[in-house]
Amino acid sequence: MKKTLSTLALTSLILFAGSAQAEAINQSLPESVAQALKANKLPPDAVSLVMLPLTSQDTPTIFNADVPLNPASTMKLVTTYAALELLGPTHQWRTEFYTDGSLKAGVLSGNLYLKGGGDPKLNMERLWLLMRDLKANGVRQITGDLVLDRSFFIPPQNDSFVDDGGDENKPFLVGPDALLVNLKALRVLVRNEEGRISVATEPPMANLIIDNRISSQRGVQCQDWPNTRYNVTQNAQGQLVMVATGNLPEGCSGQSYLSILDHPQYAAGAVRGIWQELGGSIQGADRLGNVPPKARLLARAFSPDVVEVIRDINKYSNNTMARQLFLSIGARFRNANDADDAQAANRAVHNLFTKKGLDASNLIMENGSGLSRNERISAREMAYMLRAAWYGPYAPEFISSMPLVGMDGTMRKRLRNMAGDAHIKTGTLNNVRAIAGFSRDGRGNTWAVVAILNHDRPWGASSILDQVLISLQSRK
């Protein structure tokens, strides 16, 4: 979607675009968008719209563009753009095993420390490979404790989002952590074979006892969503117990994705479960602590780079990974005046906007994911950031991280008649619908497009915003 320009030509194009916008700006909504708003009984000022031409001299559209709005998940574009610029496209995170003891004949006499580095994508496969490296380095039996070092981040204390259903076990609500393992997602599998019900977890959790109280049903059809529920408690011995209740018809199975353990419980359970499968043992307890200064490195794993991480974040609107990325920016630029890494990241992003000559007077970032009732940005600020990204050094990486309209990510099922003609990030909260990204018009020219709708009754708002892209493609 982008042609290479020389520095001189690029400068001339930017100056021309600025002068052209000063001379002529369309301040009206496209007719189809206005009609769609009216049909859904929404006022025109419920939406803010900016369409900036990037490869032509067409007139930009700027409507109600300076109102600070909740952008929902389109805020992830600000976070991922900042990560490319501030961390760099090749930045990687490290996860490491250390020890304060000695190793002889496969026995590690001392503690095993697992130090998190904020990796947004430490999945089970990569943790397994890291532990394979630990075993390959001669470790079999560990006499001391498993110590989790989560000190890489200074997380904010008031960053929370209450889902409308009040279900804190939903994976999309998982918060960030310096030692985030597998997005803290636990897959619970249940099966009824001839009246015998089995319950298992993936990954297997060595520190989790399953109390299976699910009843078997006969002569009942299988359901798309089995009537099963899961709750984690502690028994008298302090052990974690997952109580499974509900009922399941014979011959049926189901699975649920939950986040019912906290970060230390999940990380320790996964490590012990994998280590047992590899034939190892850890004799001590699980606890939190920092790696001692003189500890010895045993194994290290590197994450995928920023380019791969932002693709997962933008295409699939991954809230947890976005929040990890935001805090990673803060950890890089933290100073003594910052109360936490969210504050440091907010300051770093505002400084980036200033450096790029972008207005950020309306920009409020709480966690960088858009999963917030407090985050704000104006449509103009978002659109001008997109224009800066288009002319920036990492434009291909940034653009390709967004969903392809009608083809993948959160836009896979929308506007299939426009398949491949736009890279668009979506945003959705109860009172928010938003789109932001890059789209072509009917002549093949590319535009930066931002449309944000905030209203208490956003019924039909997604189809209204689709009309923005349709109206742009209809320009011949």
Side-chain angles (χ1 to χ4, degrees), residues 1 84 116 132 185 219 222 308 320 345 354 374 392 452:
M1 294 176 66
L84 283 169
R132 286 278 300 178
C222 295
E308 181 173 335
T320 307
T354 299
N374 301 317
I452 305 174

Side-chain angles (χ1 to χ4, degrees), residues 138-208:
V139 180
R140 296 291 186 277
Q141 180 181 343
I142 299 156
T143 64
D145 295 339
L146 173 60
V147 186
L148 307 178
D149 187 336
R150 304 162 64 213
S151 62
F152 183 78
F153 287 151
I154 302 178
Q157 299 302 310
N158 60 349
D159 177 17
S160 63
F161 180 89
V162 178
D163 176 45
D164 296 317
D167 187 355
E168 297 180 354
N169 294 333
K170 291 185 177 179
F172 78 92
L173 291 174
V174 170
D177 195 82
L179 187 52
L180 174 70
V181 176
N182 203 43
L183 298 173
K184 204 166 72 70
L186 188 68
R187 185 162 68 116
V188 182
L189 302 103
V190 58
R191 179 182 300 276
N192 187 341
E193 294 184 0
E194 298 180 348
R196 294 187 299 273
I197 297 177
S198 63
V199 180
T201 66
E202 178 60 39
M205 288 284 155
N207 57 350
L208 184 65

Side-chain angles (χ1 to χ4, degrees), residues 28-106:
S28 300
L29 289 172
E31 182 62 26
S32 62
V33 176
Q35 290 177 358
L37 283 166
K38 185 177 181 180
N40 286 277
K41 298 180 180 180
L42 293 172
D45 63 2
V47 68
S48 292
L49 173 63
V50 177
M51 297 191 293
L52 301 179
L54 299 174
T55 59
S56 68
Q57 301 176 17
D58 287 296
T59 302
T61 294
I62 300 179
F63 177 83
N64 193 33
D66 297 309
V67 182
L69 298 172
N70 188 324
S73 282
T74 59
M75 183 61 84
K76 292 180 175 71
L77 293 181
V78 179
T79 302
T80 52
Y81 167 68
L84 283 169
E85 292 283 344
L86 297 174
L87 299 178
T90 60
H91 174 81
Q92 293 176 296
W93 292 259
R94 296 185 300 183
T95 305
E96 300 160 322
F97 277 115
Y98 288 87
T99 187
D100 56 5
S102 59
L103 178 62
K104 184 176 181 180

Side-chain angles (χ1 to χ4, degrees), residues 396-464:
E397 290 78 13
F398 183 59
I399 296 166
S400 63
S401 74
M402 301 180 202
L404 273 165
V405 166
M407 297 184 72
D408 69 5
T410 57
M411 287 294 295
R412 180 172 60 90
K413 296 182 179 180
R414 288 172 65 175
L415 297 174
R416 288 180 174 173
N417 59 329
M418 285 184 58
D421 279 339
H423 286 80
I424 296 294
K425 178 74 192 77
T426 59
T428 304
L429 290 175
N430 266 354
N431 58 343
V432 182
R433 301 292 186 273
I435 58 172
F438 302 94
S439 186
R440 292 189 181 94
D441 62 21
R443 298 191 301 268
N445 294 311
T446 302
W447 297 62
V449 180
V450 176
I452 305 174
L453 189 148
N454 282 194
H455 197 272
D456 292 338
R457 297 179 294 103
W459 322 132
S462 294
S463 61
I464 294 170

Side-chain angles (χ1 to χ4, degrees), residues 237-317:
Q237 291 74 39
Q239 298 170 304
L240 293 174
V241 180
M242 183 179 75
V243 181
T245 59
N247 49 68
L248 187 69
E250 288 187 359
C252 300
S253 62
Q255 63 179 7
S256 302
Y257 286 88
L258 306 170
S259 109
I260 51 182
L261 303 177
D262 64 26
H263 284 289
Q265 290 168 346
Y266 190 100
V271 166
R272 285 183 178 271
I274 293 173
W275 195 236
Q276 288 177 8
E277 289 182 344
L278 292 174
S281 64
I282 302 175
Q283 296 178 0
D286 303 330
R287 60 182 174 89
L288 302 179
N290 294 343
V291 174
K294 295 184 179 181
R296 179 164 56 95
L297 179 67
L298 294 174
R300 172 182 290 156
F302 288 94
S303 74
D305 60 23
V306 163
V307 172
E308 181 173 335
V309 166
I310 68 169
R311 186 181 187 278
D312 286 350
I313 290 173
N314 286 335
K315 285 206 181 272
Y316 306 105
S317 205

